Amino acid sequence: MTQVPERLRRLLSFARRPPGPAAPARPARQGHNLFEAAAVYVAACAEDDQGRAEEAANRVSPGALSFGVNELACRALVALARQRNESPLVVARSLLGLRNGST
């Protein structure tokens, strides 16, 4: 459970990283499903597989990847909340190691 915040930090660091001057050209993005890329990216980050995460990130634009990761997070949170019979907010706070209090 304590690894969740670190994994989220690594996952979100991609979105905050400014484009470097010597960034390699991205391959053609046509034909890649943004949800597939997001699923591979998040799974790779969870498994600490940086190479696979970078490869998945290069499949789609950063904005599309961000949208896909957000959609995956929402769906996963709802599914986990239903499984635990708790509200999504309670589950989200629990996963992030936050106290269950008022916002």
Side-chain angles (χ1 to χ4, degrees):
M1 184 69 89
T2 60
Q3 295 177 347
V4 172
E6 178 59 30
R7 288 180 180 167
L8 286 173
R9 246 183 254 108
R10 281 197 316 262
L11 177 69
L12 296 176
S13 69
F14 170 79
R16 288 183 290 210
R17 200 177 326 152
R26 292 180 179 252
R29 293 185 181 107
Q30 296 176 351
H32 288 292
N33 183 314
L34 72 98
F35 295 117
E36 175 66 26
V40 171
Y41 180 79
V42 171
C45 288
E47 296 168 352
D48 201 22
D49 185 344
Q50 188 64 32
R52 196 166 51 126
E54 289 176 7
E55 191 276 325
N58 285 328
R59 292 183 190 174
V60 295
S61 72
L65 182 63
S66 177
F67 175 80
V69 168
N70 183 62
E71 186 66 24
L72 176 59
C74 290
R75 291 181 188 194
L77 186 61
V78 168
L80 190 55
R82 286 181 183 158
Q83 183 181 22
R84 292 183 178 185
N85 200 26
E86 296 177 337
S87 76
L89 179 59
V90 168
V91 174
R93 294 180 65 82
S94 172
L95 290 172
L96 293 171
L98 303 173
R99 292 184 181 154
N100 285 327
S102 61
T103 52

